[in-house]
Amino acid sequence: YSSAASDVYKRQENTRKAASIISSRFHDNPSKDLTIIGITGTNGKTTTAYLIKECLDYAGFKTAQIGTTGVIAEGYKQEKTLTTPDALTIQKLLKNLVNDGFSHVVMEVSSHALHQLRVHNVHFDVAIFTNLTPEHLDYHKTMKNYFKVKSTLFNLLKEKNGKAVINYDDDYGKKLAPKLNCDVSLFSKTNLTKSFFSQINDYKNRIDGIIKSNTGSYTIESNLFGSYNLENILAAVTTLDSLKISENAITQGIKTCKNVPGRLESFFVKTGAKVVIDYAHTPDALKIALTNLKDQFPNASQTELDIAERLKTLTDDDMATIQNVLSPSVAGAFGKIVPELAPVFEQYRTEEPNLVMPMSVAANYAMKQYGVQDPKQAVTVLAEDIFGNTQMEQQTNVPPSQGLMTSPQTT
């Protein structure tokens, strides 16, 4: 083609990257006109986003939230979509938010979004790292790859005044912090980092305590409960503190933030019983949910409490191994063995082809069915029962980091 045409049409090695850049330019690089807070990590993104938005709203900023529960913004219809939308959608949305007078955006940033460059040309003012535990290993293959992808969010910080907020209680947070060339704020439940709880009066029924930072202290009263929410609140407070949001807006915003949808969300039914809904779907999230429910319901059956206690002892490698053993076809076979659970497994089989069955479902059933106390061993016995010893050996010989894309055929 002509030289003139070559100035217009250029071969692109990475079309995803090109789509993000072109879309951003088409909409006049809208992220530069907004204060954008990106949150990445395996667990805690949604709750942290809700807390930050509540505080920014209380401070008088017109704030939008983008994440698992959809787009939450005044005048916008809340429609659930991908945790992080595609590049074209996200740039158009940011431009619309600018036009509608929004000043702040709180965005959950998934590892898929980072790997697929959906947010490549989004310029973040603050990037938050919550934690990292086994998830999406069917996609990323190894925890090393998963961590590397998550870390790329911090390359998208604005060159001037970009800030990182890191959970220093997480082992991967400790690895990430020294590698960053920006203003880094660390938080911890107990360590004397930039932000930490100097006093915790209660966290089992509600959260009541004092957070200290380099700039002051915050009296925290929250309807949220559980040790994991101590970290979510710390992430929010540390972020807001770095943005110089007022103490009153932070403390009052935390106080007024109610239950986050699907995050140990409690309801009372007509009989007076308390029903708790949680969307936990990773081994670590399930372990956290069970552990905190144990504190909430001391009168629960001893079997369930014992299961929760034993799940607490599982390491990341244990959980990755369990995930690798239980693939979709295992879920299907298990659903046939326990018919009442078939709908659960069918959901997991159809929503995403390579999504594994929840570890806790298998572990709970196997420990009860076989009388095995150790959850990892119980799941192994269950898999042997379904597939037979020979096929089970073929699966368990696969290193946890590789994951299993398929399972042996059942008969």
Side-chain angles (χ1 to χ4, degrees):
Y1 45 79
S2 68
S3 59
S6 67
D7 291 334
V8 179
Y9 301 103
K10 293 186 178 180
R11 182 181 180 85
Q12 296 295 321
E13 296 299 326
N14 191 318
T15 54
R16 291 182 186 276
K17 181 177 179 180
S20 184
I21 294 172
I22 293 169
S23 181
S24 177
R25 290 178 179 176
F26 180 82
H27 293 291
D28 299 322
N29 299 311
S31 61
K32 292 185 177 181
D33 296 321
L34 295 160
T35 297
I36 301 188
I37 301 163
I39 310 170
T40 199
T42 306
N43 300 311
K45 296 187 295 294
T46 303
T47 300
T48 302
Y50 268 82
L51 288 165
I52 293 173
K53 182 181 186 303
E54 193 75 29
C55 294
L56 290 173
D57 285 344
Y58 200 94
F61 296 105
K62 194 172 183 180
T63 306
Q65 180 179 330
I66 303 169
T68 306
T69 55
V71 177
I72 304 174
E74 182 183 348
Y76 285 71
K77 184 178 180 180
Q78 185 176 350
E79 294 181 343
K80 294 181 181 179
T81 179
L82 298 172
T83 297
T84 313
D86 65 86
L88 303 183
T89 301
I90 197 71
Q91 294 295 342
K92 181 179 180 180
L93 174 59
L94 293 178
K95 181 61 176 178
N96 288 339
L97 291 172
V98 170
N99 291 340
D100 291 335
F102 285 82
S103 59
H104 290 65
V105 175
V106 187
M107 184 190 306
E108 296 178 48
V109 186
S110 68
S111 60
H112 288 72
L114 289 165
H115 187 257
Q116 295 169 11
L117 304 178
R118 299 180 205 165
V119 293
H120 175 74
N121 235 47
V122 175
H123 306 282
F124 293 88
D125 293 85
V126 183
I128 305 170
F129 178 84
T130 59
N131 50 65
L132 200 74
T133 59
E135 187 184 27
H136 304 311
L137 297 185
D138 58 320
Y139 185 87
H140 298 294
K141 307 303 180 186
T142 68
M143 287 297 291
K144 182 179 179 180
N145 291 343
Y146 186 31
F147 174 58
K148 183 178 179 180
V149 169
K150 286 286 193 183
S151 302
T152 60
L153 173 63
F154 299 86
N155 298 332
L156 304 177
L157 284 167
K158 292 177 180 176
E159 292 184 8
K160 185 178 181 180
N161 299 323
K163 299 174 175 61
V165 174
I166 309 293
N167 180 1
Y168 205 64
D169 286 336
D170 185 83
D171 289 340
Y172 286 96
K174 289 184 176 72
K175 291 180 182 179
L176 176 62
K179 299 178 180 180
L180 302 178
N181 296 315
C182 62
D183 180 4
V184 179
S185 295
L186 305 176
F187 67 86
S188 165
K189 292 195 292 290
T190 55
N191 290 336
L192 302 181
T193 51
K194 184 168 184 178
S195 297
F196 63 97
F197 269 98
S198 62
Q199 182 177 327
I200 301 174
N201 301 321
D202 186 19
Y203 69 88
K204 293 184 177 181
N205 302 295
R206 58 192 300 274
I207 291 178
D208 181 355
I210 297 175
I211 292 176
K212 283 195 174 180
S213 73
N214 289 357
T215 60
S217 63
Y218 302 89
T219 300
I220 301 300
E221 296 177 5
S222 173
N223 293 318
L224 303 178
F225 67 90
S227 59
Y228 69 102
N229 272 321
L230 293 173
E231 293 185 355
N232 294 333
I233 290 174
L234 273 166
V237 170
T238 306
T239 300
L240 295 160
D241 181 80
S242 72
L243 293 173
K244 296 180 171 54
I245 304 302
S246 72
E247 177 188 346
N248 183 60
I250 294 174
T251 56
Q252 291 302 310
I254 297 293
K255 187 175 183 177
T256 56
C257 186
K258 306 300 181 184
N259 283 349
V260 178
R263 273 65 181 174
L264 288 182
E265 193 176 6
S266 300
F267 300 91
F268 284 97
V269 295
K270 291 180 180 180
T271 61
K274 188 175 186 178
V275 177
V276 178
I277 297 176
D278 195 278
Y279 296 163
H281 60 279
T282 68
D284 187 65
L286 290 161
K287 184 169 68 172
I288 290 170
L290 284 170
T291 301
N292 285 280
L293 286 173
K294 179 181 177 182
D295 293 330
Q296 275 281 299
F297 301 101
N299 297 323
S301 71
Q302 191 57 44
T303 300
E304 296 299 330
L305 297 185
D306 287 345
I307 290 171
E309 189 64 35
R310 288 196 295 278
L311 290 177
K312 287 169 61 178
T313 66
L314 292 176
T315 65
D316 283 356
D317 285 342
D318 290 335
M319 292 187 288
T321 299
I322 290 171
Q323 277 199 321
N324 289 335
V325 169
L326 295 171
S327 66
S329 60
V330 179
F334 189 59
K336 293 177 182 177
I337 294 174
V338 189
E340 62 269 27
L341 293 180
V344 176
F345 300 127
E346 189 60 32
Q347 173 190 350
Y348 275 84
R349 294 174 70 198
T350 56
E351 284 188 346
E352 185 175 333
N354 294 319
L355 192 62
V356 297
M357 183 174 64
M359 177 269 290
S360 71
V361 174
N364 286 357
Y365 171 80
M367 284 189 282
K368 292 177 183 178
Q369 179 74 8
Y370 303 107
V372 178
Q373 298 299 306
D374 176 70
K376 183 180 176 183
Q377 182 184 354
V379 171
T380 301
V381 173
L382 171 63
E384 288 176 352
D385 194 19
I386 295 173
F387 292 115
N389 293 330
T390 301
Q391 291 175 322
M392 182 59 202
E393 288 172 3
Q394 293 174 357
Q395 292 192 77
T396 53
N397 286 336
V398 179
S401 61
Q402 292 183 12
L404 289 181
M405 299 303 291
T406 59
S407 291
Q409 294 296 318
T410 58
T411 57

